Amino acid sequence: MRRIRCAIYTRKSTEEGLEQDFNSLDAQREACEAFIASQKHEGWELLPDRFDDGGISGGHLDRPALKRLMKAIKEKRVDQIVVYKIDRLTRSLSDFAKIVDVLDAADTSFVSVTQSFNTATSMGRLTLNMLLSFAQFEREVTAERIRDKIAASKKKGLWMGGNVPLGYKAVGRTLAIEEAEAATIRTIYDLYRKHKTVRRVTEHADNLGLQTRRTERSNGKTKGGHPFTRGHIHAILTNPIYAGRIRHKDKVYDGQHPAIIEPENWEEIQKLLETGAVKERGSKRLAGPSPLAGKLFDETGDRLTPSHSRKNGKRLRYYISRRLVVDRRNNQPDAWRLPAEQLENLIAELVQTHLSKPTAASSLVPTASAAELMEAQKRLSAKRDAASPHILVHRVDLKPGSMTLALDKEEIARLLNCKPDRIAPGTLTIASHFQMRRRGVELKLHLGDAPPEIDRTLVQNTVTARRWLTMIIDGTSPVDIAAEERIPAPRVHALINLAMLSPEILDLAASGSQPIHLTTDYLLKSGFPIVWSDQRKMIEIS
């Protein structure tokens, strides 16, 4: 008789009642143990390891006990998973597809003791998919109800949570004025009414020592407490919360909280902002909207050139590798296309951080006297304008994972009011980690190490490709798949190649650790090899 090693998995979404001597997890386990005992004649035996996830949602796979269970399955230490109900294991169809792949690879099956089926049979798989479809439908309906409740509450002027705006503190479902911070908000509005440009307001706010809210996190680290950027100032000036209103998407309702800025004064500021934005756009057009033009180079030595596109009437700026401009007909999977504003802000931050170091002046001009150093440091500290740091940049070399920035000797000398030959060699180069993370079509840039972020588009496309491949093996043609999915047949032929990705690449994609360039678009355009070892070389997995 074949020995079937059984592992029981239990889960509860909330922590309520877990402190009891006999809780929901114990009840689930007791039912599963009884079921395993009833199958003793089939060779079933219970493993001693417990896999319990208390207080964790089933809407994702980031669960400690489930991860341990999946590891045990991959190591072929488990033959059968036993659960009380299917939704204890997962509530998501896409997550279930991932779990089934692991089970199939390890020749492991799955049993629900209260729903009388198992995945070892085709009927069990069909029943399971139907149940998961209804579970997912229930989750989506619940999410819609929550969204509708938030919309209705905001229509009544209630505060529905989130980051509490500067100047307020949360009191239940409304906001109360935090007087110390409210003074900062009033000052910012007064400065804009006087100077009528966000740039000037930012400069004066910095001179007055105004800072963002400083908070301490549970791990002891602090957040905020920095000078306001132009983005911060603009967000404050356009936020209707300060006029006693609540915004929900594109609609604004009267709120139940007190206003820091009188509504008529807020409306006046909005008109000034609209007029000022038109003037500022005009001045940028004359001065050139891309301050890093001619200064950016990719790892091949190709210059990045300014480009733009339009979406919903909005002009979006980019810096792209010149080879994309020269030859748009050929695929260029290794070419760069970076959002201009994000890149400009990161480089401005890098320059400002470098020049604000206490030793910056003495490093740049080591022969300066004490009085000269004091004056030079003042000049460096005063360099706060978010646009001006780009003037100090001579060249930026980009490559995957890093950025090397060379400062302009002439401009630095002019800033420090000294001759260029007094600038010490080797002090004008700044090196930094530079990471990109793509989420769908959105690209995010980071200085330093970027946090892991799963490319859900790639993961979903890979799951779809593997499903299509199974259908083709069973006799369904790509043309029939295209007709069923209501997509062009060439799309099926292209996407199905993702089913050939190696398990190593799939693990990287599922954890968000894949190389930045490893996207669906890159894989389809590059024509990746089917041999797994060649895939490793192509995407440079270390």
Side-chain angles (χ1 to χ4, degrees), residues 209-224:
L210 301 183
Q211 294 186 338
T212 60
R213 175 184 288 149
R214 181 184 178 89
T215 56
E216 186 170 339
R217 297 176 176 175
S218 57
N219 58 7
K221 295 183 179 180
T222 57
K223 177 184 178 182

Side-chain angles (χ1 to χ4, degrees), residues 189 192-193 196 262-275:
Y189 274 79
Y192 188 82
R193 191 176 291 107
K196 297 182 175 57
E262 291 298 324
E264 57 270 19
N265 293 338
W266 188 85
E267 295 290 352
E268 177 192 352
I269 291 295
Q270 304 316 299
K271 293 178 181 177
L272 290 174
L273 279 165
E274 186 175 351
T275 304

Side-chain angles (χ1 to χ4, degrees), residues 57-63 66 70 89-102 132 136 139 456 459-460 463:
S57 168
H60 57 82
L61 298 179
D62 188 16
R63 292 173 258 160
L66 181 61
M70 291 297 103
L89 188 64
T90 179
R91 290 178 175 270
S92 167
L93 271 173
S94 59
D95 288 345
F96 174 67
K98 299 174 187 176
I99 293 174
V100 167
D101 285 342
V102 176
L132 282 171
Q136 184 160 324
R139 289 182 63 216
R456 298 192 183 279
V459 173
Q460 186 59 51
V463 172

Side-chain angles (χ1 to χ4, degrees), residues 320-338:
I320 66 175
S321 296
R322 189 171 180 274
R323 56 186 176 276
L324 286 177
V325 180
V326 175
D327 187 2
R328 291 183 179 272
R329 293 172 299 174
N330 294 327
N331 292 330
Q332 305 279 358
D334 62 336
W336 292 63
R337 180 183 175 89
L338 302 176

Side-chain angles (χ1 to χ4, degrees), residues 69 75 87 91 97 104 218 226 292 304 333 353 379 394 425 448:
L69 177 58
E75 294 173 353
D87 63 358
R91 290 178 175 270
D104 287 345
S218 57
H226 305 301
L292 295 174
L304 272 65
T353 301
R379 287 173 173 270
H394 172 64

Side-chain angles (χ1 to χ4, degrees), residues 202 205-207 209-212 224-230 232-233 384:
T202 307
D206 191 29
N207 292 336
L210 301 183
Q211 294 186 338
T212 60
H226 305 301
F228 287 97
T229 65
R230 292 169 67 180
H232 285 140
I233 297 294
R384 295 290 188 181

Side-chain angles (χ1 to χ4, degrees), residues 285-314:
R285 194 175 292 113
L286 292 174
S290 301
L292 295 174
K295 300 181 178 183
L296 299 169
F297 298 83
D298 66 20
E299 75 276 18
T300 69
D302 197 7
R303 188 191 301 271
L304 272 65
T305 185
S307 178
H308 75 274
S309 64
R310 288 192 176 275
K311 183 177 181 181
N312 299 327
K314 184 179 180 181

Side-chain angles (χ1 to χ4, degrees), residues 39 67 130 139 157 172-173 191 264 268 294 300 323 341 381 460 508 521:
Q39 301 297 314
K67 288 181 178 179
M130 291 173 61
R139 289 182 63 216
R173 287 299 179 192
L191 286 172
E264 57 270 19
E268 177 192 352
T300 69
R323 56 186 176 276
E341 188 173 355
S381 299
Q460 186 59 51
L508 290 174
D521 187 58

